[in-house]
Amino acid sequence: MDLKKKILTLVIVALVSLSFVPILAGSPTSGKLLEEKTSNAPATSTAGTFAYESYFESGGTYSNYGWSLSGNGQPPTITNSVNYSGEPSLKVSGGETLSTYSGIVPGNQFISFQAAVDASSGMAVFSIVNSNGKQVAGVGISGNQIYAGGSSLSSIGTAPSNTVYPAGWTYISGNIQNTSTQKSFSWTMQLFVDQTDVVFANVSVPGAYQYAGLQIGSNSGKVYFTDIVLSTYEIPIYSPGYNPMEGYGQGSGLIVSLLHPFTILHASMILNSWNVPESGILSFQINAMNYYGTTTSTCVGFFQLGVDINPNGMISPWYVPGKNCFAHYFLNSSNPSTQAGFKSPPGSMLSLSIVDQPANDTIFFQIIDHSVTQNSGDRYWNATIPYSGTEFYGTYTQLEFQPSSSYPIQNYFFSGSLYNMGYGNSFSSLAPLNASYMLPFTLNAPTTWSFTYYNNAASGYNQIG
């Protein structure tokens, strides 16, 4: 594969047509430390990787997502009446079980899963199964009671209370992997419930090496499922001391597939509301990575663009230039580790663009705040850095918290969204980033965070944090 960059003249035309307004700033100074994802999964290779996803949409049926039905009860239906932050769910009645083997590649040493489940009126079961349909690892939910095990389930605890997840819903996620040593044969499920800053349970699942498919069902009553993912991509990540973060996408060595090489990453951002006690701690951002940065967990070839969510209605824009993981603020600052920024109203609408310009051997970063007045100096934020590497091959988004905060993470509140996520080589023909690529990850996230679901129609998602 030739990794040398190619670019269309159309890119240059598109850049000129956006009427960039230059912002005067001093030389970039190192600010707070931003971090890329860190993975507990084995070293990444795309060989044998897979991602099965089941996000239910109105007008479809369970068979549209590769599920087959067994049982004699009422057939499952997709419904809007019980939804997950606006996303339709699959209603399953007592005694019904659905199975899928769609796109699941057996034989890996590590798999990861997530599901949103409403079991407030029944007993729901989420199972990893072998090729004969026998459970080898599973999670059961009934109200706020959680059950887990290998071939059978046992009570293991009570789900957290006072979370930001919709009433009645429980978000489960986990990693199942070979934890064997030379003296033992052992597979373990690391289970999380409504948060990833605490491991809910480590459960022995000795038969999980036989994984081949998924089953969901109801042991009693009506239960609801959505946001189902089973993948070799690590979804929940527990890494004490590391920056809490969550988002969607692939890169920094955690991948199932590479995107076609691209030179433009663009997204829209809405900052609905926020209430935070300290500057420079909570940020919302997008990331583009070159080939090395996509396939390796590194700060090299790793380009970030985002804003700090600061007290008193302030935001502060910054970028990371691909050579380190430190934020470089667009604004001048006497203290490079903090930046109060400028006032932007609730509901602020921003556009973010990271553009590789190989004709100039540069990368261009831009944030436009569409909610401040046209003649304000706070409307356009631009920076250009030298660059002569490969095109971009991966992208992901992040809400990120700095553990250096003087206040607990629960004291920070933010509500916003990222949407119109697109990539390509021309602003006039950006391809949407959909859920098949934008896989979820949640690292050390507390119960006060939720990234809802990735909506293909909007090419984005809502974020609470």
Side-chain angles (χ1 to χ4, degrees), residues 207-221:
Y209 71 95
Q210 303 174 73
Y211 81 88
L214 277 178
Q215 282 184 0
I216 56 175
S218 169
N219 282 0
S220 65

PDB file of all heavy atoms in Angstrom, residues 207-221:
ATOM      1  N   GLY A 207     -15.622 -21.883  29.994  1.00  0.00           N
ATOM      2  CA  GLY A 207     -15.973 -22.335  28.651  1.00  0.00           C
ATOM      3  C   GLY A 207     -16.036 -21.248  27.611  1.00  0.00           C
ATOM      4  O   GLY A 207     -16.385 -21.506  26.447  1.00  0.00           O
ATOM      5  N   ALA A 208     -15.668 -20.011  27.988  1.00  0.00           N
ATOM      6  CA  ALA A 208     -15.843 -18.876  27.071  1.00  0.00           C
ATOM      7  C   ALA A 208     -14.944 -18.955  25.846  1.00  0.00           C
ATOM      8  O   ALA A 208     -15.209 -18.276  24.849  1.00  0.00           O
ATOM      9  CB  ALA A 208     -15.609 -17.563  27.814  1.00  0.00           C
ATOM     10  N   TYR A 209     -13.910 -19.788  25.896  1.00  0.00           N
ATOM     11  CA  TYR A 209     -13.049 -19.943  24.710  1.00  0.00           C
ATOM     12  C   TYR A 209     -13.837 -20.505  23.522  1.00  0.00           C
ATOM     13  O   TYR A 209     -13.413 -20.385  22.379  1.00  0.00           O
ATOM     14  CB  TYR A 209     -11.869 -20.852  25.035  1.00  0.00           C
ATOM     15  CG  TYR A 209     -12.227 -22.298  25.225  1.00  0.00           C
ATOM     16  CD1 TYR A 209     -12.132 -23.205  24.177  1.00  0.00           C
ATOM     17  CD2 TYR A 209     -12.671 -22.761  26.464  1.00  0.00           C
ATOM     18  CE1 TYR A 209     -12.477 -24.539  24.352  1.00  0.00           C
ATOM     19  CE2 TYR A 209     -13.015 -24.085  26.655  1.00  0.00           C
ATOM     20  CZ  TYR A 209     -12.923 -24.971  25.594  1.00  0.00           C
ATOM     21  OH  TYR A 209     -13.265 -26.289  25.766  1.00  0.00           O
ATOM     22  N   GLN A 210     -15.019 -21.089  23.804  1.00  0.00           N
ATOM     23  CA  GLN A 210     -15.840 -21.658  22.746  1.00  0.00           C
ATOM     24  C   GLN A 210     -16.814 -20.630  22.134  1.00  0.00           C
ATOM     25  O   GLN A 210     -17.669 -21.002  21.335  1.00  0.00           O
ATOM     26  CB  GLN A 210     -16.675 -22.818  23.294  1.00  0.00           C
ATOM     27  CG  GLN A 210     -15.879 -23.922  23.935  1.00  0.00           C
ATOM     28  CD  GLN A 210     -16.792 -24.950  24.585  1.00  0.00           C
ATOM     29  OE1 GLN A 210     -17.450 -25.740  23.910  1.00  0.00           O
ATOM     30  NE2 GLN A 210     -16.840 -24.924  25.911  1.00  0.00           N
ATOM     31  N   TYR A 211     -16.711 -19.360  22.525  1.00  0.00           N
ATOM     32  CA  TYR A 211     -17.687 -18.363  22.083  1.00  0.00           C
ATOM     33  C   TYR A 211     -17.884 -18.421  20.562  1.00  0.00           C
ATOM     34  O   TYR A 211     -16.943 -18.599  19.803  1.00  0.00           O
ATOM     35  CB  TYR A 211     -17.254 -16.953  22.503  1.00  0.00           C
ATOM     36  CG  TYR A 211     -16.233 -16.334  21.575  1.00  0.00           C
ATOM     37  CD1 TYR A 211     -16.617 -15.603  20.452  1.00  0.00           C
ATOM     38  CD2 TYR A 211     -14.873 -16.513  21.794  1.00  0.00           C
ATOM     39  CE1 TYR A 211     -15.682 -15.057  19.581  1.00  0.00           C
ATOM     40  CE2 TYR A 211     -13.931 -15.967  20.921  1.00  0.00           C
ATOM     41  CZ  TYR A 211     -14.344 -15.257  19.822  1.00  0.00           C
ATOM     42  OH  TYR A 211     -13.426 -14.729  18.951  1.00  0.00           O
ATOM     43  N   ALA A 212     -19.146 -18.276  20.143  1.00  0.00           N
ATOM     44  CA  ALA A 212     -19.449 -18.272  18.707  1.00  0.00           C
ATOM     45  C   ALA A 212     -20.623 -17.380  18.362  1.00  0.00           C
ATOM     46  O   ALA A 212     -20.803 -17.026  17.195  1.00  0.00           O
ATOM     47  CB  ALA A 212     -19.734 -19.698  18.226  1.00  0.00           C
ATOM     48  N   GLY A 213     -21.435 -16.990  19.363  1.00  0.00           N
ATOM     49  CA  GLY A 213     -22.617 -16.186  19.066  1.00  0.00           C
ATOM     50  C   GLY A 213     -23.170 -15.527  20.306  1.00  0.00           C
ATOM     51  O   GLY A 213     -22.575 -15.574  21.395  1.00  0.00           O
ATOM     52  N   LEU A 214     -24.333 -14.913  20.131  1.00  0.00           N
ATOM     53  CA  LEU A 214     -25.025 -14.178  21.190  1.00  0.00           C
ATOM     54  C   LEU A 214     -26.440 -14.690  21.330  1.00  0.00           C
ATOM     55  O   LEU A 214     -27.072 -15.083  20.345  1.00  0.00           O
ATOM     56  CB  LEU A 214     -25.089 -12.687  20.859  1.00  0.00           C
ATOM     57  CG  LEU A 214     -23.913 -11.781  21.178  1.00  0.00           C
ATOM     58  CD1 LEU A 214     -24.224 -10.368  20.699  1.00  0.00           C
ATOM     59  CD2 LEU A 214     -23.626 -11.776  22.674  1.00  0.00           C
ATOM     60  N   GLN A 215     -26.967 -14.620  22.564  1.00  0.00           N
ATOM     61  CA  GLN A 215     -28.387 -14.838  22.811  1.00  0.00           C
ATOM     62  C   GLN A 215     -28.892 -13.740  23.734  1.00  0.00           C
ATOM     63  O   GLN A 215     -28.175 -13.301  24.644  1.00  0.00           O
ATOM     64  CB  GLN A 215     -28.661 -16.191  23.469  1.00  0.00           C
ATOM     65  CG  GLN A 215     -28.623 -17.371  22.540  1.00  0.00           C
ATOM     66  CD  GLN A 215     -29.003 -18.668  23.239  1.00  0.00           C
ATOM     67  OE1 GLN A 215     -29.308 -18.675  24.441  1.00  0.00           O
ATOM     68  NE2 GLN A 215     -28.993 -19.774  22.507  1.00  0.00           N
ATOM     69  N   ILE A 216     -30.099 -13.272  23.486  1.00  0.00           N
ATOM     70  CA  ILE A 216     -30.786 -12.372  24.411  1.00  0.00           C
ATOM     71  C   ILE A 216     -32.173 -12.943  24.645  1.00  0.00           C
ATOM     72  O   ILE A 216     -32.759 -13.583  23.762  1.00  0.00           O
ATOM     73  CB  ILE A 216     -30.882 -10.936  23.874  1.00  0.00           C
ATOM     74  CG1 ILE A 216     -31.556 -10.901  22.495  1.00  0.00           C
ATOM     75  CG2 ILE A 216     -29.506 -10.281  23.826  1.00  0.00           C
ATOM     76  CD1 ILE A 216     -31.798  -9.477  21.968  1.00  0.00           C
ATOM     77  N   GLY A 217     -32.707 -12.746  25.830  1.00  0.00           N
ATOM     78  CA  GLY A 217     -34.024 -13.306  26.089  1.00  0.00           C
ATOM     79  C   GLY A 217     -34.595 -12.843  27.405  1.00  0.00           C
ATOM     80  O   GLY A 217     -33.968 -12.099  28.168  1.00  0.00           O
ATOM     81  N   SER A 218     -35.818 -13.308  27.664  1.00  0.00           N
ATOM     82  CA  SER A 218     -36.523 -12.999  28.899  1.00  0.00           C
ATOM     83  C   SER A 218     -36.861 -14.298  29.607  1.00  0.00           C
ATOM     84  O   SER A 218     -37.506 -15.169  29.032  1.00  0.00           O
ATOM     85  CB  SER A 218     -37.804 -12.217  28.604  1.00  0.00           C
ATOM     86  OG  SER A 218     -38.613 -12.141  29.759  1.00  0.00           O
ATOM     87  N   ASN A 219     -36.438 -14.414  30.864  1.00  0.00           N
ATOM     88  CA  ASN A 219     -36.848 -15.551  31.676  1.00  0.00           C
ATOM     89  C   ASN A 219     -38.241 -15.337  32.266  1.00  0.00           C
ATOM     90  O   ASN A 219     -38.923 -16.297  32.607  1.00  0.00           O
ATOM     91  CB  ASN A 219     -35.850 -15.803  32.800  1.00  0.00           C
ATOM     92  CG  ASN A 219     -34.609 -16.511  32.302  1.00  0.00           C
ATOM     93  OD1 ASN A 219     -34.486 -16.820  31.118  1.00  0.00           O
ATOM     94  ND2 ASN A 219     -33.659 -16.770  33.200  1.00  0.00           N
ATOM     95  N   SER A 220     -38.645 -14.075  32.383  1.00  0.00           N
ATOM     96  CA  SER A 220     -39.984 -13.751  32.875  1.00  0.00           C
ATOM     97  C   SER A 220     -40.291 -12.301  32.555  1.00  0.00           C
ATOM     98  O   SER A 220     -39.396 -11.457  32.513  1.00  0.00           O
ATOM     99  CB  SER A 220     -40.076 -13.973  34.394  1.00  0.00           C
ATOM    100  OG  SER A 220     -39.219 -13.080  35.074  1.00  0.00           O
ATOM    101  N   GLY A 221     -41.561 -12.002  32.304  1.00  0.00           N
ATOM    102  CA  GLY A 221     -41.993 -10.631  32.078  1.00  0.00           C
ATOM    103  C   GLY A 221     -41.512 -10.060  30.763  1.00  0.00           C
ATOM    104  O   GLY A 221     -40.911 -10.744  29.927  1.00  0.00           O
TER     105      GLY A 221
END
